[in-house]
Every structure is written in C-alpha cells, then in structure tokens.
Amino acid sequence: MRLDYLAPVSTEAVPRRLAPRFAVSAAPWVAGASFLALLGFSLFVRTRAIDGPFWIDEALTVGIASFPISEIPGVLRQDGSPPLYYLLLHVWIDAFGSSEASTHALSVVFALLALPAALWAGWSLFGRRAGWIAAALAAVNPFLTVYAQETRMYSLVILLSILAAASFAHGFVFRRRRYVAVFALVLTVMLYTHGWALFFAAGALAAVAVTARTGREPRPVLRDAAFAFGAAALAFAPWVPTLLYQTAHTGAPWSNPPSPIHLLGGFIVVLAGEGALVAIVLAAGAGLSGLVRGPARPERTAVLTLLVLALGTVLSAWTVSQVTPAWATRYLGVLIGPVLLVAAAGLPRAGRLGAVALVIVLFPWALYTLDKRKSNADQLAARFETAVRPGDLILSTQPEQVPVLAYYFGHDKRYATPLGPVSETRVMDWRDVLGKLEAARPETTLEPLLEALPRGGRVLLVRPLVRSDDAWSAPWTELVRKRSEEWAFTLAVDERFKRTQEYVPPYTDRIQRTLVVELFEKATRG
C-alpha cells in the first residue's frame, strides 16, 4: 500500500528531486474508481446491522413520523426536537415502509452523502490529499457508523456539520462570498434538524471573532456574519415559540450535568477512543505546527477558526448543560465536521508521521462492528405476545418505553405507566413529566388499573433491568428506578394476583435498554 500521497499539500519545501514522488495521479477514472470503492466499503460497513431492532428513541421517532405531516410540528411540543428529520422520515416511510431496515436506510443515505461532502470540503479548503483523507475518515468513522444504522437524525446532523464547517471557512476565511449564503442555508437546515445546532452557531460566532481579528479588513467579515446569522435567525424564527415552549416544559431530565472531563470526552466520543484522539492530535498537531506558527495565511486562519468552531460548540453545550439538562453523547455529531477537517488539514503535512497515524486510526475504525441488539423489546414481544389477550394490560414502569413496546406488541393493546393509562402510544409526552412522576404513587395510579381488571385478566409488567444505581442517577432515571421497584413490589404482594411467568434476559452491556418481564393473572376480585 503506497502512503506517499500523505505528503504535504505543497511541495515547495521538498527537494525538487523528491517532489515527483509525492505526485497524485489526476486521471479522472482513477479518482472515480477510488471513490466508488471507498463508497462501497462504507456502505458495507454501515449496513451490517441495518436490520437491528429499535430502541426507545427510534420507535418514538417512527411514531412521531407516522402522524400526518401537518400534525408533526404540534406533536413535537411533547418531545423537544425540531421537525425537519421527522418530516423527511414521514415521506420516506410512505415510500419504503416503517420496518427497522427501511427506516435505517434513510440514515445510511445521509452517512454515504457525508463522503462526497468530506472529499469536497477537505479538497477545496486544504488540497487534494486533505480531501481524500477527509473522505476516508468519514467513510469508516465509528460514530457515524453507529448512527448510520439508527432511525434518528444524527447522521444527517453529521452531514450538515461537514457542509457548514466547510462553507464557513470558504465564506469567512477564504472570502469566497457566495459561500456565506451557503453557510446561512446549511445552518438553517441544522437548526431545523437538531437543537445542538444552536451550540454550533455559538461556536461559529466565536470563530467569526477570530477570523475578523486576524483578517486585514474585519468590517466586511462582520457584515457578512450579520447577514448569515441574521438570515438563519429569521428563517428559524417561526420555530422559536415552539423551541421556547419545549425548553420550558420538556428538556432532558434523564441527563446529568456533564463534568469537566466531558469536554475532552466529547472529542474522544466522536473519534471513537483515546487512541484515535492521541494519534490525530499528535500527527495533525505536528503537521499544523509550522502553519500555525508561520505568517498569516488563509490556511492558517482556516485551521484556527475550525478549532475555535469545534471548541466553542462543545464548550457552549457544556455550559448550558450545567443549568438545564441538555447533554448526551449522541448529540456530539455536530463536532465531526470541524474536527474531521482539522485532522485532514494536518495529517498530510506531517509526512510519514501522518501516514502512520492515519493507518493507526483507519484500520481499527474499518474493523469496527456494531452490536445490533440495542434493545430486547422485540424479543420480549416474540416471547409474550400471545400471552397478552384482548383486555389485558401491559404496564411499563419506564414511561418512554411504551412506543417501542407498542411497535412490537402492537398499538392496539392497552398500555399504562406510573403516569397513568396511555392513550397515544406513538409518543412520549415529556412535558413537565419529572414532577408528574415524582407525584405518582401505586395507590393512585396502579390500584385503579388493577381493580378494574376482570377475573382472569392478565398484567404484563415490563420494567428496566437496573444492575448499577450509578447508571440511573439522573433525576428522571432515579425516579424510574424507584417507581419500578414500587410497582413490582405492589404486584408481588397483591393477593388478588398470581405471578405465572418471569423472564430476566441474559446479561448485556446495554444495561439501560434491557427489560425484565413478569406476567400476573388476577385470580379473584379481592
């Protein structure tokens, strides 16, 4: 395998007798065949678990997308997300169905589009070699591999992050002003895709400040920034009232405030481990050290602003999450665009060190395999579906599990949670839910359900398997754990009911997504 394509983008510093060694073939068919091979390998890597079962968020996403398009924005007042991905998924489901593989395929499409986006971004900003390195990193990055096979918006977020970071550098650093409008458009699409686009925008504003300060003419940069961010804000304005309502009434009560280590951990997550982070930081850092210390050049400013963009994004998210729950590792896809481009800019400038680092990163990334077992809800349905008859009750002590249980058991069954009977099984209503769960007691929510059940009626109690209290220490998850214990104990000691079956699944490292089932039958009216 030849690694000489990893030499610096410029050969000015290389002796002339060595310069031809670093040449890259410009034959279009070679480039085209190479890219198709990379695309094909990425498709292979990112479809090995495409038929994996849904977990909570995926079933909820499919449920929301199943509403009529005109109703989806209103339904999302109960959830906390912007509407764009759900609208796209609604159209996709109409065309291809709502199975696991069908809906995962939409995420695969976005993940594959990230490859030409990365190739263009790296090539147009830092040269041909940077483009190919960016495409290779995007092709096998495990973070993207995971969310390419999940029915959520994160692979779309990553695609938009790459396009936004590149268009920002083109428009504000290299002063190709047509890209200012492109950045405004992509940022708007990001804002309508995921809430963390707001933190990306905060990082971009910090990057504007760096660009304006290092440039010779800051005022045109600031004027363009006012246009881009103003246009995005104006386009996003119709959703702002819903966003404010969601912020006040939904949030992420299942999340703890992140610690300072999460700032570094964010980059470890998107690079799939400490080893990849160290390799990229050392090699890309060595490659970029001369550029950063050298005279002011657009490439130097571009690297600095992309670094500020990434750091500003994660720092703003971390800061806000100290005040209101907003942190989750799966949201960190917004970082991949600037991180990937900085790595692609530095690795080819590091020569042999960059080549070694690239091999160290790409080889384990390419071998990464995704565990398709994200939840055991489908297994429970296969095991107990015939045990639940018309009129019986499925009780989920973790309220947000209802959409995934209903997906596999059927939406025509009766469901209830510690919050009471569930009338709409496609959605989890997160509005002010923490206080409601705090006030819920078995005697007020469970007892009326048990009393109304006729003789011979069955209760399928589904509760999360909690093997570590530390994993359930957030305000919401701690309450779920307590209510689960209360409901299980109440049913176990109720003399009207007899436990006829119990299923505790084998150990899995996805502790929070594993469910335990007990089947009770009412013997008397008591």
Side-chain angles (χ1 to χ4, degrees), residues 45-61:
V45 169
R46 287 166 177 166
T47 53
R48 286 180 289 180
I50 195 170
D51 60 345
F54 289 151
W55 72 290
I56 298 169
D57 283 10
E58 293 181 278
L60 175 64
T61 302

Side-chain angles (χ1 to χ4, degrees), residues 76-80 244-254 324 399 418-419 428-440 475-476 479:
L76 286 170
R77 288 170 65 87
Q78 304 177 35
D79 178 73
L244 295 176
Y245 180 88
Q246 292 170 328
T247 302
H249 296 283
T250 58
W254 35 262
T324 181
L419 303 174
M428 168 63 190
D429 190 348
W430 286 104
R431 291 176 295 184
D432 306 317
V433 73
L434 196 60
K436 295 175 183 177
L437 190 60
E438 178 69 51
W476 173 256
L479 276 176

Side-chain angles (χ1 to χ4, degrees), residues 299-446:
E299 292 82 2
R300 173 180 180 270
T301 304
V303 169
L304 290 175
T305 54
L306 288 170
L307 284 171
V308 170
L309 173 55
L311 292 171
T313 298
V314 71
L315 185 59
S316 60
W318 185 90
T319 302
V320 170
S321 296
Q322 304 303 311
V323 180
T324 181
W327 187 274
T329 56
R330 56 187 178 273
Y331 299 167
L332 292 164
V334 296
L335 294 176
I336 286 186
V339 169
L340 181 147
L341 290 177
V342 170
L347 290 176
R349 288 178 165 85
R352 287 189 177 90
L353 178 61
V356 171
L358 191 62
V359 171
I360 291 174
V361 172
L362 289 181
F363 186 72
W365 280 12
L367 296 179
Y368 175 82
T369 55
L370 173 65
D371 178 11
K372 66 167 64 177
R373 182 57 54 188
K374 293 173 279 189
S375 168
N376 67 333
D378 64 321
Q379 294 177 331
L380 299 181
R383 188 182 185 102
F384 289 96
E385 187 173 13
T386 58
V388 182
R389 304 165 305 191
D392 291 342
L393 190 61
I394 299 177
L395 298 179
S396 174
T397 61
Q398 188 176 2
E400 65 267 37
Q401 290 280 2
V402 169
V404 71
L405 293 174
Y407 181 88
Y408 289 112
F409 279 93
H411 291 277
D412 57 339
K413 304 293 193 300
R414 292 178 60 211
Y415 296 89
T417 75
L419 303 174
V422 179
S423 58
E424 179 50 78
T425 57
R426 293 176 291 176
V427 182
M428 168 63 190
D429 190 348
W430 286 104
R431 291 176 295 184
D432 306 317
V433 73
L434 196 60
K436 295 175 183 177
L437 190 60
E438 178 69 51
R441 295 293 183 273
E443 57 269 23
T444 57
T445 55
L446 178 58

Side-chain angles (χ1 to χ4, degrees), residues 23 67 182 209 392 443 474 495:
F67 282 84
V182 174
D392 291 342
E443 57 269 23
E495 296 181 353

Side-chain angles (χ1 to χ4, degrees), residues 76 80-84 184-199 201 227-247:
L76 286 170
S81 297
L84 179 61
L185 176 61
V186 177
L187 180 59
T188 301
V189 176
M190 284 185 72
L191 290 168
Y192 275 105
T193 301
H194 195 269
W196 269 41
L198 291 168
F199 302 134
F227 163 77
F229 288 92
L234 186 63
F236 189 62
W239 188 252
V240 170
T242 300
L243 173 64
L244 295 176
Y245 180 88
Q246 292 170 328
T247 302

